[in-house]
Amino acid sequence: MARLLLIRHGQASFGADDYDALSPLGHEQARTLGRSFAERGIRPALVVRGDMRRHAETAEGLLDGLKLDVGVVTDAGWNEFDFQHVVEIHRPAFRDRSAMAAELAAFARPDRAFQEIFDAATSRWASGDFDPEYAESFTAFRDRVAAALDTVRELLREHRDVVVASSGGPIAMAASLLTTGTAAGWAAFNRVSVNTGVTKVISGSRGLSLSTFNEHTHLEGDARLLTYR
């Protein structure tokens, strides 16, 4: 059977001017995953990535750790949804980044405070009740990821062993579609996604099937590497 490995990007630069760039730790996570793949004999024939900077840098780090030179193709279908836009629709005051930073700084755990706001914002988005307010509705996001899965299914016919460097949102959507046929499980999958977590999908005679979700044993030897943003 052919194998598809969906890789969430390494830690991005949360709070920096360019969130899309990997942090130094994010680069280390990607290289660590590549070395883990090399030790386990995992040598993909093709890498697909979203067209965001964090996807490109994760793919580069993975291949550097693997010491492998293979083709890399870009598919924007694997891009993350615009979570900043989704949060700003829910909390218009957060369009001012300094106001957002000041509000979060008042909490003992700013990361947890932001997570609560993020969960409420994405729940509103996913409800479908406010679609005209968003540049990309939740339904459009679901359909985009479904189309990306269809595309990679065809690539697996030729390459048999494919890695996709993407983000937590699309990978969670793919996992939900593969297990329930709907987006019903998206929020639960998305909430626990780890940076450089590996989701394995098997392609057989009956199509694509989810085998494992968010595997991250390559990070467990160093607690510093285990991050969620």
Side-chain angles (χ1 to χ4, degrees):
M1 292 185 290
R3 176 175 59 183
L4 168 65
L5 300 178
L6 304 175
I7 311 300
R8 188 189 177 200
H9 62 79
Q11 183 190 64
S13 300
F14 183 77
D17 290 339
D18 186 3
Y19 171 83
D20 201 23
L22 292 191
S23 69
L25 185 63
H27 285 285
E28 185 178 351
Q29 289 166 333
R31 291 191 297 268
T32 298
L33 177 58
R35 290 192 293 268
S36 174
F37 276 12
E39 291 167 0
R40 294 154 59 189
I42 299 173
R43 298 179 64 83
L46 179 72
V47 173
V48 179
R49 64 169 179 82
D51 69 359
M52 307 179 94
R53 180 175 175 180
R54 56 190 181 271
H55 303 151
E57 292 181 350
T58 298
E60 290 167 4
L62 173 73
L63 292 174
D64 181 49
L66 255 172
K67 304 303 178 187
L68 185 66
D69 184 14
V70 299
V72 179
V73 298
T74 301
D75 181 353
W78 290 105
N79 284 1
E80 184 62 284
F81 67 95
D82 188 347
F83 71 86
Q84 292 177 336
H85 171 66
V86 169
V87 168
E88 289 167 5
I89 293 294
H90 176 63
R91 293 289 295 274
F94 278 17
R95 294 188 178 110
D96 181 341
R97 297 300 173 81
S98 60
M100 179 179 75
E103 180 174 332
L104 294 177
F107 291 89
R109 288 292 304 271
D111 55 338
R112 289 185 180 176
F114 180 80
Q115 187 63 47
E116 290 180 6
I117 293 167
F118 177 85
D119 288 345
T122 54
S123 292
R124 183 183 190 275
W125 175 55
S127 72
D129 295 335
F130 309 95
D131 283 357
E133 298 180 24
Y134 297 97
E136 181 181 45
S137 70
F138 185 74
T139 299
F141 170 63
R142 179 202 64 197
D143 293 347
R144 169 164 66 83
V145 175
L149 275 173
D150 286 340
T151 298
V152 83
R153 182 186 292 113
E154 294 304 313
L155 291 173
L156 284 165
R157 296 179 188 276
E158 177 182 356
H159 299 283
R160 309 297 296 171
D161 212 347
V162 175
V163 162
V164 171
S166 181
S167 290
I171 294 171
M173 180 60 74
S176 184
L177 292 171
L178 292 170
T179 52
T180 71
T182 73
W186 174 78
F189 282 121
N190 193 47
R191 193 172 294 117
V192 297
S193 185
V194 169
N195 291 119
T196 66
V198 181
T199 293
K200 182 164 68 174
V201 178
I202 299 299
S203 179
S205 60
R206 297 185 179 182
L208 299 180
S209 300
L210 185 69
S211 176
T212 61
F213 175 73
N214 199 37
E215 186 273 322
H216 51 276
T217 54
H218 60 286
L219 304 174
E220 291 179 345
D222 184 348
R224 180 180 53 89
L225 294 176
L226 187 60
T227 62
Y228 294 84
R229 292 178 183 81

